[in-house]
Amino acid sequence: MTAGRPRPAFYEIGDVCPELNKVTAAFPDIRKEAQALVATRDQMPSYDELDNAQSRIAGSTPKKWSVFFLNVFGFKPKMNRERCPQTCAAIEGIPNMLQAFYSILDPGKSIPEHEGPYLGYLRYHLGLVVPEDNPPSITVNGETHVWSEGGAILFDDGHPHRVDNESEQVRIVLIIDIRRPMPFFADLVNRVVTSFFARWTYAYGIYRKISSEQAVA
């Protein structure tokens, strides 16, 4: 991001974080693990159950938006990761990674327009299970992208964005958040915010909820 220039909606993955292309290349193995999760998605927590701040967008319709975390600011739910070893291997070593999780939308579940809570990260999506009929799309700051299986995008989650989904099948994408590239001092502040403040005020609570649910199960 350059001072005085508007932030783009979408970024070239190779220019910002070429290591993410290795995740894209691992699509076949990642997709298999995602497909295995579909049968148990009813047992997964909805996004707003883990993060109350998501209540407005995740609970906007009766349909469910489930999430399955593999890494949340360095906290790594053991049982989740044991179910997805190939995915965990593919995301290992991604520089400046903040979190990684599967995002699973029930058929017909759309997400109203919203903005990410913080400008210090960019968000990667890898399409894993995408309906062929009426494939869902994401619109970021007025620019629309239709997901495809094996297709990857990197976008600015801080822009207004929404998901339009009228399909009759499940949609799954892998989401990876990375720290936004910034000049030295801005990057230093961003690292403090993400490594300490966000880790302990946001991520730890999610990790505790996941761990307690798994302990009960």
Side-chain angles (χ1 to χ4, degrees):
M1 182 172 62
T2 303
R5 295 183 182 178
R7 304 187 331 262
F10 294 92
Y11 291 75
E12 290 294 331
I13 294 173
D15 294 341
V16 177
C17 183
E19 291 85 356
L20 285 171
N21 287 326
K22 298 177 182 178
V23 179
T24 307
F27 159 74
D29 290 331
I30 297 175
R31 185 178 189 274
K32 287 179 184 178
E33 293 181 339
Q35 288 175 311
L37 296 175
V38 171
T40 60
R41 75 179 190 279
D42 290 341
Q43 303 168 26
M44 295 180 192
S46 62
Y47 204 170
D48 53 312
E49 288 175 334
L50 294 179
D51 181 6
N52 293 335
Q54 305 298 330
S55 296
R56 181 184 71 83
I57 57 173
S60 60
T61 70
K63 302 288 186 175
K64 190 176 179 182
W65 178 12
S66 304
V67 290
F68 192 81
F69 277 92
L70 302 174
N71 187 328
V72 52
F73 286 75
F75 296 111
K76 300 178 179 181
K78 184 173 183 291
M79 291 180 66
N80 285 7
R81 293 175 66 87
E82 287 176 345
R83 294 179 64 181
C84 306
Q86 297 298 320
T87 305
C88 290
I91 67 176
E92 193 68 28
I94 298 299
N96 301 314
M97 182 171 66
L98 299 177
Q99 56 182 2
F101 59 98
Y102 293 104
S103 169
I104 304 171
L105 293 182
D106 275 357
K109 173 63 174 178
S110 294
I111 302 172
E113 187 172 86
H114 62 287
E115 299 174 18
Y118 179 59
L119 296 180
Y121 66 93
L122 299 176
R123 175 158 286 186
Y124 165 92
H125 276 189
L126 174 62
L128 300 176
V129 177
V130 181
E132 292 184 2
D133 294 330
N134 292 325
S137 64
I138 182 169
T139 300
V140 183
N141 204 31
E143 298 182 34
T144 298
H145 169 82
V146 178
W147 283 292
S148 62
E149 294 188 354
I153 56 173
L154 183 68
F155 67 96
D156 186 341
D157 189 63
H159 281 305
H161 57 284
R162 72 176 191 273
V163 170
D164 296 302
N165 178 24
E166 297 181 355
S167 65
E168 298 181 358
Q169 297 173 297
V170 172
R171 184 237 60 177
I172 306 178
V173 302
L174 175 68
I175 293 178
I176 299 176
D177 290 339
I178 61 170
R179 267 194 300 271
R180 180 193 295 274
M182 293 180 172
F184 177 77
F185 287 110
D187 179 64
L188 185 61
V189 172
N190 195 24
R191 287 176 181 271
V192 171
V193 171
T194 54
S195 298
F196 296 98
F197 181 76
R199 175 175 166 83
W200 294 105
T201 63
Y202 159 76
Y204 183 62
I206 289 178
Y207 176 71
R208 286 288 301 272
K209 288 180 182 179
I210 295 172
S211 300
S212 63
E213 288 182 359
Q214 291 178 344
V216 171

